[in-house]
Amino acid sequence: MKLVKSLLLGSAAGLFAVGGAQAADLPVKAKAVEYVKICSLYGAGFYYIPGTDTCIKLGGYLRAEVALNSGGHYNGQFSGVAGGHNRLTNYYSMRSRADFNIDTRTATEYGVVRTYFDAVYTWTSGSYSGTGAGGTSYDSAPSGTSGSGSVSGGSLGVYYAFIQFAGFTMGKSVSQFDAPWTNYPGNNFDQLVGGGGTVTGVNQFTYTADFGQGITAAISAQDQTAYYQTNIWNTSGATAAGIVGGAYGLNDIGGSRSPDIVGMVRVDQAWGLFQASVAAHDNHAGYYGASETTGAPSDKWGWAAALALSIKNIPTGAGDVINIQGVYTEGASRYNFQSLAATSYSMFSGSGNGAYQSVGFAGVSDAVFGAGTGLELTKTYGMRGAFTHNWNPYWNTALYGAYGAVRYSSAAKGLICGSAGMAALALTGTCNPDFDIAQVGVITRWTPVKNLTFSGDFNWSRIDQKYSGTVAYGGSAATAKPAAVYELKDQDSFTLLLRAQRNW
């Protein structure tokens, strides 16, 4: 037994020795690397970029939609083949869009440094216009289309690209003039008038001061060239076709001279929000004629002022809200007719009193001038608002409306009505380029699961033009309208948007 016991102990010792040697040869197990670490400093969805103290959040959405009886997407049937209301008019337009955004934030001794980028890739149906010879040509709304077929083209757009640091915002962001809901008091129809709206952003240099308790103020210099100019019409170039198309002359804007100057004060608290905004806009025209020797009108500064109010916690239900705003402009019409709103209207409908059809035309400008005259600034005013009601956690509905008015000075009316283009139309009644536009709509949304929403949005827009009588219009090959007598009459547009959207 002693012999057996000695053998067993010796064998065990040998095994431990061999095992120890092998264990010494094995690499030491490294500590697990935490590749993705949650960043809780800025809300849900942020993560630390590995190896840095910068937090990042990725987001976006994908949507598919069809717009019925619209002009473009999602627009009223205000002009072109859409406003023609004939066989060239689209009954529907389809769109698919993918959005991608990147939000980064880093804490520093000066406060948070933030960058934000948002881009979209879009495919949209085009339309057909007449060629004047019994044929049509395709308007390739998305790039990469040709003829009646299509390829895998589309369009890329940059909505936002800005840096925020120590109270400054630099880059392409929502205008400080805009209400927080931009164009959408009820998350609604794209073309509501009644206030500013740069939902796709505008280049700016802004300083925002935070006074605490939800009170902030901002001063901003923003680029006017892309989104805050309508028209400066030189009535010397007015034509009959242009006037019926909603243009009262040649658009004669000179090169950029000054950015728009915007100021804003906001109170944002539990009960809701109040905001007051002002803007100054330089109107800089080109020349009276084809060369610099013809001279030019002097610049004139325009301005805009707006008030916005949001009321929360109303007794109709949890989460219900009322958003409303009003605006007045003089020589700065884009602060009423926002960047997606139409500024030219040319709409036809059924036969008039002894005329071939009826037509309503109107146009929006910042200023008007003629040969040797100064700039006559255009005045506008308007409002828009919405009431949103939540039926339950899955369904909500918004009722919305808007109104805009355009008023030309007596001198501007004289230039427009006395132009060669208006004379060629042989207007038989009242010549008055003033007009109003009224819009109402309803949108209902269903969210069966988080971040997936189906919606239907119906809109009615009415153009109340101030002309009367008839015009002898020479017709248009593009819209297939013949040369005939047309009655001047108010016009309507009815549209419906059906959308499915998945946010992430």
Side-chain angles (χ1 to χ4, degrees):
M1 286 296 296
K2 289 184 179 180
L3 179 59
V4 174
K5 189 174 181 179
S6 298
L7 289 173
L8 290 174
L9 289 174
S11 299
L15 287 172
F16 277 113
V18 173
Q22 289 178 342
D25 294 338
L26 291 175
V28 177
K29 184 177 180 181
K31 184 179 179 180
V33 177
E34 191 174 9
Y35 289 101
V36 179
K37 182 180 178 182
I38 293 174
C39 174
S40 59
L41 298 175
Y42 311 109
F46 281 91
Y47 297 87
Y48 283 100
I49 297 175
T52 75
D53 58 356
T54 297
C55 299
I56 187 170
K57 181 180 180 179
L58 305 179
Y61 64 79
L62 194 146
R63 74 170 53 146
E65 59 193 25
V66 57
L68 306 177
N69 213 42
S70 71
H73 201 99
Y74 169 44
N75 306 327
Q77 292 184 315
F78 294 140
S79 61
V81 292
H85 293 114
N86 56 20
R87 292 184 63 84
L88 301 184
T89 304
N90 281 345
Y91 281 9
Y92 72 90
S93 175
M94 301 185 75
R95 168 175 287 181
S96 296
R97 167 174 287 174
D99 175 278
F100 178 65
N101 56 69
I102 306 170
D103 190 348
T104 71
R105 306 188 194 190
T106 307
T108 74
E109 60 269 31
Y110 298 98
V112 175
V113 177
R114 182 190 184 197
T115 66
Y116 188 82
F117 175 78
D118 186 13
V120 294
Y121 193 79
T122 306
W123 175 273
T124 309
S125 300
S127 60
Y128 287 88
S129 59
T131 62
T136 59
S137 62
Y138 188 64
D139 170 20
S140 54
S143 60
T145 60
S146 60
S148 60
S150 63
V151 295
S152 55
S155 60
L156 179 65
V158 175
Y159 277 8
Y160 308 118
F162 62 83
I163 300 169
Q164 289 180 320
F165 172 67
F168 291 95
T169 299
M170 300 157 281
K172 197 167 187 276
S173 181
V174 172
S175 170
Q176 302 304 310
F177 188 90
D178 294 354
W181 50 84
T182 61
N183 314 348
Y184 308 100
N187 194 18
N188 46 260
F189 178 69
D190 282 343
Q191 289 194 306
L192 283 192
V193 300
T198 47
V199 67
T200 58
V202 60
N203 280 319
Q204 62 190 269
F205 187 89
T206 298
Y207 179 74
T208 302
D210 189 338
F211 300 101
Q213 297 184 338
I215 302 173
T216 57
I219 184 72
S220 178
Q222 67 181 28
D223 182 18
Q224 65 160 261
T225 57
Y227 300 110
Y228 283 97
Q229 295 173 332
T230 55
N231 301 284
I232 298 179
W233 278 320
N234 183 347
T235 59
S236 300
T239 64
I243 290 172
V244 175
Y248 295 131
L250 297 175
N251 192 11
D252 196 356
I253 299 175
S256 62
R257 287 297 182 271
S258 172
D260 285 6
I261 308 301
V262 176
M264 178 275 291
V265 176
R266 180 184 297 170
V267 178
D268 191 350
Q269 297 177 343
W271 59 265
L273 173 145
F274 173 78
Q275 178 176 306
S277 309
V278 294
H281 173 83
D282 179 38
N283 291 285
H284 177 73
Y287 295 101
Y288 290 121
S291 74
E292 60 190 29
T293 60
T294 60
S298 299
D299 287 17
K300 272 192 178 182
W301 280 84
W303 61 278
L307 298 175
L309 178 67
S310 179
I311 304 175
K312 304 175 183 178
N313 303 319
I314 54 181
T316 53
D320 289 7
V321 62
I322 295 173
N323 295 325
I324 191 169
Q325 63 193 110
V327 64
Y328 181 90
T329 76
E330 184 172 346
S333 299
R334 272 296 186 197
Y335 290 94
N336 185 353
F337 288 75
Q338 44 90 4
S339 62
L340 298 182
T343 56
S344 294
Y345 300 84
S346 181
M347 304 165 67
F348 295 81
S349 60
S351 60
N353 297 323
Y356 172 69
Q357 286 181 347
S358 69
V359 63
F361 53 81
V364 184
S365 68
D366 289 327
V368 176
F369 72 96
T373 76
L375 295 179
E376 292 292 328
L377 300 184
T378 305
K379 298 177 181 179
T380 81
Y381 52 90
M383 60 82 62
R384 63 175 174 233
F387 164 60
T388 300
H389 173 64
N390 294 280
W391 302 101
N392 56 47
Y394 308 102
W395 290 88
N396 69 49
T397 297
L399 298 172
Y400 62 87
Y403 169 78
V406 176
R407 298 293 181 262
Y408 291 92
S409 68
S410 57
K413 290 176 181 177
L415 290 169
I416 293 169
C417 295
S419 67
M422 193 65 76
L425 287 173
L427 174 65
T428 63
T430 303
C431 181
N432 185 353
D434 294 347
F435 78 97
D436 302 330
I437 176 172
Q439 300 169 302
V440 294
V442 58
I443 178 171
T444 294
R445 291 171 288 265
W446 174 47
T447 305
V449 296
K450 185 179 180 181
N451 293 328
L452 176 64
T453 300
F454 301 91
S455 62
D457 185 352
F458 175 79
N459 173 267
W460 169 44
S461 298
R462 181 171 180 82
I463 303 300
D464 176 15
Q465 50 89 55
K466 307 302 181 184
Y467 295 102
S468 66
T470 62
V471 291
Y473 178 41
S476 167
T479 58
K481 292 297 178 183
V485 173
Y486 292 80
E487 181 187 13
L488 295 166
K489 193 175 180 181
D490 299 344
Q491 303 292 328
D492 299 288
S493 173
F494 301 91
T495 58
L496 175 65
L497 178 71
L498 303 175
R499 172 181 291 170
Q501 180 166 315
R502 170 73 161 96
N503 296 330
W504 57 276

